[in-house]
Structures are given as C-alpha cells and as structure tokens.
Amino acid sequence: MKLSERKHEILIATVEDYIKEASPITSSSVKERHLKNLSSATLRVELNALEAMGFLKQLHTSSGRIPTSEGYRYYVEWLLKDFKLEPAKIERVGEILSERTKSISELVSELAKVISETTNCPTVVMMNSFNNLVIEEIKIVPLVGESALLLIKTPSGFVNSTIKTSANVKSCEDAGRLLTKKFYGQTIGYLAENILNVEKEINKEVSDYKLLVGSLIDGLKQLSEKRTVGVKGNVKLLESKEEKEVNVAKKTYEILEDEEKLETILETDNDDLSFGFSDENEEFGGVAVVKAPLVISGKHVGSIGVLGPERMDYMLIASAIKFLTNELENIDMLEDKK
C-alpha cells in the first residue's frame, strides 16, 4: 500500500521507536522525538489513519498504539531499499569459512552460533541434500564395532555419514581410494546414482567391497535428506521481562521443536534476503523470521533464518545474514564435470 510522505515518515519513526523502547506510541512522543513542526492534533489524525489502514493498533482505548504485522512488513520492505552491510559485527565469519578441515555441518552450525550471538535471537540453518557438492576425496574410516565413517571431502568442507559394515581396515582404505579415483570431480549425487555401475570393477580389487556397497548407498541416502543442522541461541529469548515477549518466546520454542514447521518457515522462493510474519490470529502470531538461501558457487545448499519477536532489530539481523550469505557465495568449488 502506497503511503503519503507524511504517513510514511510517521510509520517508520513509530516502528523504530517501538523496536527500541517497547513503549506504545503516542502523538506526543512522535512530536517530541521526530516531527516537532506538526501539531499533536494533526499527528493524532495521522495515527488514527494508520490504525484504520491496519499498520498500527491500540491495545486499550486510552493507550498508545503499537505496530501490527502489516506495520512491521511495511517497515522491513522499506528497510531493504536502503540496505547497508555492517560486516564488522560478524568478523568471525571469515575465520570460520577459512577452516576447510571442518565438516560442512560443523561449519554452518558455527555460523548459526555467530549470527545468534550477534542478534541475540535463535538462528536456524536448514541444509538441503549435499548432492550438488563436488568430490575431492572419499575416505572410509572403521569405527568401534561393526561401523565406519563415510567421509567425503569437498572444496567447501567435509560431509560425513556413519555406515554399518564389518569390512576390515584395509578394505575400507582401498575402497575409499578407488572410489576417489573413479568419482573425483563428480558430485555426490552423481556418485549415489552410479556407485553400482562400478561395483564389479571394485570387487576385483577390494575383497570386502560387497560388505561395503549396500552401506555406502545407505550413507549416501542420508546425505540426500533435508535436515536441521543448527539451532542456536534460543535461551536468550526468555531474558525479556515483558509478558507479551515471553509469550512470543514460548511460541518460538514450539516452532524450534517442530522440524516440519521450521522447514515451512525457512522455505523461500526469493533468491535474496526476505522476511516473514505470522498473522496475529494464527497459532504462532507475533513471531517473525528474517531468512535467506545459502548458496555456494551458484548452488542452493540450504537456508538460514533468525526467529524472534516482531519487535526485533531488523537492520542488525539483516546485516549479519547478508554478510554471511555473501561470504558463502565466495567459496570456490570445482566445476561440475557430470
């Protein structure tokens, strides 16, 4: 909805004041802080109009107004037009991304922690399948009991899965070496689709390969499933003493415990930063999310989102997420040879 310049100025000012102060907005507070040239009567008329348009609401007849979900939505859409990064707030991101010896799961989990510490809100990273990641090396490391670790090195880090097998140490090492030779430069998805095509060939060189191949397929299937990698920082939600925000915190906890809801919330058709709001009459009303896709070398590998009350610092959160996703996009990967 297009607003007049005056209404726009009043709405932006009132939303920012409420985010900072958590105090209902009144005509006198707007006049004192922002628009000294307007009379209180004129401001009351404008606030009434913004309320009628659905951007503000009164909790009680005699009280000031607070932003509605529509008010926050208008604010963040305006915010994106003049978006500025503040990379200094999350300097640790670059250090984490340089540690290629970590698994991708560890890497994104640490990134989620940095964002949460920066924003004081819970951060969720949802990974898609690892099918598009390019293989540099495959290792199969026997563990205690009849199990082994399938470890796949990619240019952006390691991915791993535990498999069941009774194959000996030499067979595991030989199988990893031969699979690396056959699938170097291909994607994990290509490996999963074609591993049976090389079974006979590898069987000739690895005596226990028949004990491995079924488990390897199961391990690769695990890497293809969508899963939550990191949920960080949710404890800080309960630090607020305001009843309304404590209730929102409880609703947010319910979402964080429900992976299906998290997947729905983090889904986005947008290629860039976006915002989501729960309508006030819904079960999780009052909860907002700032989210963005995680893209490495043009490949969509997951999503990241920060959840919290509608009254949160959108500029800080948007800055942190935008910097992180920009850095991830700069990770170099081998070209797909499939």
Side-chain angles (χ1 to χ4, degrees):
M1 187 183 297
K2 187 173 176 63
L3 295 179
S4 67
E5 187 176 342
R6 179 190 287 174
K7 286 185 175 62
H8 168 85
E9 190 177 354
I10 292 171
L11 181 57
I12 296 303
T14 55
V15 172
E16 288 186 340
D17 278 359
Y18 189 71
I19 288 172
K20 291 174 186 174
E21 307 293 338
S23 299
I25 300 135
T26 63
S27 57
S28 58
S29 64
V30 176
K31 180 177 174 61
E32 182 182 341
R33 294 173 184 170
H34 304 285
L35 299 167
K36 293 182 171 62
N37 59 319
L38 293 180
S39 68
S40 295
T42 299
L43 284 169
R44 278 194 294 273
V45 169
E46 294 288 20
L47 289 172
N48 285 336
L50 287 169
E51 182 178 351
M53 296 165 80
F55 293 113
L56 300 174
K57 69 175 183 179
Q58 275 189 301
L59 296 178
H60 309 289
T61 307
S62 58
S63 70
R65 296 168 176 84
I66 64 172
T68 63
S69 292
E70 277 303 312
Y72 284 115
R73 186 175 286 110
Y74 182 93
Y75 172 74
V76 296
E77 286 174 359
W78 165 80
L79 189 67
L80 286 178
K81 292 177 183 176
D82 298 311
F83 184 78
K84 295 179 181 178
L85 298 179
E86 296 181 39
K89 292 180 181 294
I90 48 172
E91 291 174 353
R92 281 172 49 205
V93 169
E95 296 173 12
I96 292 170
L97 290 174
S98 68
E99 296 179 31
R100 300 296 180 82
T101 56
K102 292 179 181 267
S103 73
I104 291 176
S105 295
E106 288 178 306
L107 183 146
V108 295
S109 183
E110 288 193 24
L111 291 176
K113 184 179 179 183
V114 172
I115 298 297
S116 177
E117 289 173 353
T118 303
T119 63
N120 289 326
C121 288
T123 302
V124 181
V125 177
M126 185 78 70
M127 295 300 293
N128 294 333
S129 71
F130 296 120
N131 284 344
N132 289 328
L133 297 180
V134 178
I135 298 166
E136 288 187 337
E137 185 179 11
I138 299 171
K139 289 186 177 181
I140 303 169
V141 183
L143 303 173
V144 177
E146 294 190 348
S147 63
L149 183 67
L150 170 62
L151 194 63
I152 302 177
K153 183 183 178 183
T154 78
S156 53
F158 287 90
V159 295
N160 59 73
S161 178
T162 302
I163 62 174
K164 294 182 179 180
T165 181
S166 56
N168 61 40
V169 174
K170 186 176 185 308
S171 293
C172 288
E173 290 176 351
D174 289 345
R177 176 175 50 81
L178 288 168
L179 287 170
T180 298
K181 182 179 177 181
K182 292 290 180 185
F183 294 101
Y184 175 83
Q186 301 288 0
T187 64
I188 292 174
Y190 182 83
L191 167 63
E193 291 174 6
N194 293 276
I195 191 170
L196 289 177
N197 295 339
V198 299
E199 182 180 3
K200 289 182 181 179
E201 187 178 347
I202 296 181
N203 258 328
K204 294 176 183 177
E205 300 189 50
V206 183
S207 58
D208 284 342
Y209 188 68
K210 61 185 177 182
L211 299 176
L212 279 165
V213 67
S215 296
L216 286 173
I217 292 171
D218 288 341
L220 292 168
K221 183 181 177 183
Q222 288 179 35
L223 297 178
S224 297
E225 294 174 352
K226 182 178 281 190
R227 55 189 173 174
T228 302
V229 174
V231 178
K232 302 291 182 180
N234 48 344
V235 174
K236 293 181 180 178
L237 279 176
L238 288 176
E239 290 181 359
S240 173
K241 295 180 180 179
E242 296 177 37
E243 184 179 352
K244 182 182 177 183
E245 292 199 6
V246 170
N247 289 335
V248 171
K250 291 176 181 177
K251 292 176 183 179
T252 306
Y253 278 121
E254 291 180 47
I255 295 173
L256 294 174
E257 293 296 320
D258 191 327
E259 191 163 311
E260 220 172 279
K261 279 186 170 44
L262 280 174
E263 286 193 28
T264 301
I265 286 172
L266 292 184
E267 280 179 0
T268 175
D269 296 328
N270 199 323
D271 292 333
D272 203 349
L273 199 71
S274 62
F275 298 79
F277 298 89
S278 299
D279 292 332
E280 293 174 7
N281 59 351
E282 288 185 352
E283 182 183 358
F284 297 112
V287 179
V289 61
V290 184
K291 55 188 176 179
L294 295 176
V295 178
I296 299 178
S297 294
K299 300 180 187 296
H300 188 287
V301 298
S303 303
I304 184 167
V306 174
L307 280 69
E310 290 178 332
R311 190 186 71 82
M312 59 184 182
D313 189 337
Y314 293 101
M315 180 55 84
L316 174 60
I317 292 168
S319 298
I321 291 180
K322 189 66 177 175
F323 177 66
L324 182 151
T325 54
N326 283 350
E327 290 297 299
L328 276 176
E329 283 191 73
N330 292 329
I331 292 180
D332 292 325
M333 294 179 65
L334 294 178
E335 285 191 7
D336 232 333
K337 297 182 182 178
K338 183 176 175 181

